[in-house]
Amino acid sequence: MNTVSASDTAKPSAVDFDVIIVGAGVAGCVAAIELARAGKDVAVIERGVQPGAKNLSGGIFYSRIMEEILPNFLSEAPVERKITRNVLSFLNENSHVNIDYWDRRLASPVNAVSVLRGKLDLWLSEQAEEAGAMIMPGVMADRLLRGENGNIFGIGAGDEQITAHLVLAADGVNSFLARDAGIRKKAPNKQLAVGIKTVIALPRNTIEQRFGLNRDENDGCAFAMVGDATQGVAGGGFLYTNTDSVSAGVVLRLDDLQRSGLSAAGIHDRFLAHPAVAPYLADGKVLEYGCHLTIEDGPALSRQPLTAPGLMLIGDAAGFTLNTGMTIRGMDLAAESARLAARTAVEALAAEDFSEEFLSSYPQKINASPMGKDLRLYSRTPAFLDSPRLYGKYGNMAADIFYELYNIDLRPRKKLSKIVMRALRRSGIGITEGIRDAYNALRAL
């Protein structure tokens, strides 16, 4: 590595690598794979002892993009289950109303898989190494290196400096490198959430029986829950199946959690004990428990600058997460942003131009891509999901409607329209509020 003194701001005549990537998650590894395939000299800096070691998360990976990047992804990657059953649940204290959707078409071609990131990130880093990238675990990037003209030409890690023509920041939510470059500030709490998750081991047969899954097809199930799942705090609960474990937890928007005065751990524990959730987890063994910061308003964060001279942001560092209320997408957007950033890096290296003006083709590629169009399409969704009525009143109203339909007592039956209007009055939702929420839902979704 170049031994440049900490006070030296002149860009060296030779650099250690063409590109340095900070972070060996999905975005960092995909960028490394694409760049190494293009014949570039690339290093991936990872602060964990190995990729995935510090990642307690997992989730549902919408995998079509990865099949384009790695055709062997579904057959060789450590994916858990193919998600063919999706359940949207309005959870109340003593009831729940579910929209339960199963479809064989989601298995061929495979639409989404459940993953555990500790396994997946390590496998992806191995693919990057096989492609020719250098993985450097146990290195904490603590600053950017800048030349006299302000151009970024590498990273500092303690007393060591590692130089490159370009740096790709894949260092996650609240990216330190993005803030060090002066293109991002710490995101407001309204745009962030804390996720708390428990992974619970269960026999594979038990999981398949409880969730109604087909073992021969390696089917999986994912629940998205609102309402009593978070005790009214903006956010939601989740429950999804892995091969021989179940992941369950909550995501809580930071500002609303602070306003509520509730404990995040307390909300999580109450969710796992809820009568609609606990039967799925009964007799399981806790394998893992952890929390991490996540993005609540990806469209807003991703509209901020993505580049500086010699620097591009990818994945969570750029804010590429999308919550539609029914699906939460992050890993597929991370992969696509990494692929587009890698293409831009190849172009910049060929032109020997690492200016912000040249790198502006990266956000242009993002905007023109399907992910850019999706981010714009759902740009109103975070504001719609801000309505407190979604986390209590609507779930209770739905339960009251179905109770009237299924509770066959000695009274004569009422028309559905009257049942709905009665439930609406009991819910405390005004007619104007209901119409406004319906209109906002149509605009947002």
Side-chain angles (χ1 to χ4, degrees):
M1 309 304 169
N2 279 296
T3 55
V4 184
S5 68
S7 61
D8 191 355
T9 58
K11 185 173 181 177
S13 57
V15 293
D16 298 314
F17 299 96
D18 291 323
V19 182
I20 292 171
I21 301 167
V22 180
V26 172
C29 289
V30 167
I33 290 167
E34 293 286 277
L35 286 163
R37 284 175 175 172
K40 305 309 174 187
D41 196 7
V42 56
V44 181
I45 308 298
E46 167 57 39
R47 64 190 177 104
V49 293
Q50 67 179 27
K54 299 184 73 64
N55 198 333
L56 298 179
S57 71
I60 307 304
F61 197 157
Y62 295 91
S63 54
R64 302 283 179 86
I65 179 67
M66 287 304 295
E67 290 180 81
E68 290 187 358
I69 296 166
L70 293 167
N72 63 335
F73 181 72
L74 291 175
S75 60
E76 297 183 17
V79 301
E80 298 292 312
R81 289 181 181 270
K82 297 181 291 188
I83 302 301
T84 56
R85 181 186 173 207
N86 292 274
V87 183
L88 178 62
S89 180
F90 291 89
L91 206 62
N92 308 306
E93 187 174 357
N94 295 301
S95 66
H96 64 159
V97 177
N98 290 346
I99 300 173
D100 194 332
Y101 169 62
W102 170 85
D103 199 321
R104 187 81 261 144
R105 292 175 295 180
L106 293 176
S108 182
V110 174
N111 177 65
V113 292
S114 56
V115 298
L116 295 169
R117 289 287 300 277
K119 298 178 182 179
L120 179 66
D121 290 4
L122 180 59
W123 182 84
L124 285 173
S125 71
E126 291 168 352
Q127 306 311 298
E129 280 189 306
E130 288 180 13
M134 177 183 287
I135 308 296
M136 300 175 64
V139 178
M140 178 69 179
D142 54 32
R143 65 194 182 281
L144 293 167
L145 305 181
R146 293 180 179 83
E148 293 174 352
N149 58 0
N151 285 8
I152 292 161
F153 65 92
I155 61 99
D159 294 333
E160 188 172 22
Q161 300 195 6
I162 309 172
T163 60
H165 294 298
L166 280 169
V167 175
L168 301 188
D171 54 334
V173 182
N174 268 340
S175 165
F176 168 77
L177 295 183
R179 296 202 303 275
D180 188 33
I183 57 175
R184 295 285 175 98
K185 295 181 179 179
K186 185 178 183 301
N189 286 346
K190 187 179 178 66
Q191 295 178 348
L192 299 174
V194 59
I196 306 178
K197 183 186 77 169
T198 299
V199 181
I200 298 171
L202 286 166
R204 182 169 181 174
N205 285 339
T206 300
I207 293 172
E208 288 157 355
Q209 290 169 6
R210 290 181 182 178
F211 289 87
L213 304 176
N214 185 330
R215 166 173 282 211
D216 293 337
E217 301 291 342
N218 196 31
D219 282 350
C221 176
F223 279 74
M225 300 175 168
V226 296
D228 199 60
T230 59
Q231 295 178 249
V233 174
F238 60 85
L239 178 71
Y240 58 86
T241 57
N242 306 308
T243 303
D244 52 10
S245 65
V246 175
S247 296
V250 293
V251 178
L252 309 166
R253 205 179 73 201
L254 285 182
D255 65 328
D256 211 36
L257 176 64
Q258 291 174 337
R259 246 192 326 264
S260 73
L262 298 172
S263 155
I267 294 174
H268 165 272
D269 294 348
R270 184 176 179 273
F271 170 68
L272 266 57
H274 192 284
V277 176
Y280 288 110
L281 311 177
D283 302 319
K285 177 184 177 182
V286 174
L287 295 176
E288 189 176 276
Y289 173 87
C291 64
H292 68 280
L293 199 63
T294 186
I295 298 166
E296 185 68 15
D297 191 348
L301 287 176
S302 63
R303 286 194 294 269
Q304 297 181 48
L306 300 177
T307 65
L311 176 74
M312 288 184 279
L313 310 183
I314 59 178
D316 280 353
F320 291 131
T321 300
L322 186 56
N323 179 3
T324 70
M326 294 168 284
T327 60
I328 298 178
R329 296 169 55 191
M331 287 178 279
D332 64 315
L333 303 186
E336 178 67 338
S337 69
R339 179 163 69 167
L340 296 177
R343 289 177 183 172
T344 306
V346 170
E347 295 165 359
L349 288 164
E352 297 185 356
D353 188 345
F354 314 108
S355 65
E356 188 170 5
E357 182 180 4
F358 192 94
L359 298 181
S360 66
S361 67
Y362 166 53
Q364 291 169 10
K365 291 181 179 73
I366 294 288
N367 289 334
S369 71
M371 70 172 281
K373 294 174 183 177
D374 286 351
L375 286 165
R376 290 194 297 276
L377 177 65
Y378 291 106
S379 61
R380 294 188 179 97
T381 302
F384 167 68
L385 295 176
D386 195 30
S387 171
R389 293 179 288 278
L390 290 174
Y391 306 102
K393 290 183 177 180
Y394 280 114
N396 287 320
M397 185 182 80
D400 285 347
I401 291 170
F402 281 98
Y403 178 76
E404 291 291 341
L405 292 175
Y406 284 101
N407 178 38
I408 308 301
D409 55 20
L410 299 179
R411 297 173 299 168
R413 300 292 87 201
K414 291 184 173 62
K415 287 184 177 181
L416 179 59
S417 59
K418 291 187 176 180
I419 291 174
V420 171
M421 291 306 298
R422 181 181 176 184
L424 181 63
R425 286 193 296 271
R426 290 179 58 186
S427 72
I429 302 171
I431 296 293
T432 302
E433 289 178 326
I435 293 172
R436 183 168 59 247
D437 288 341
Y439 174 71
N440 288 337
L442 289 172
R443 293 182 71 213
L445 305 177

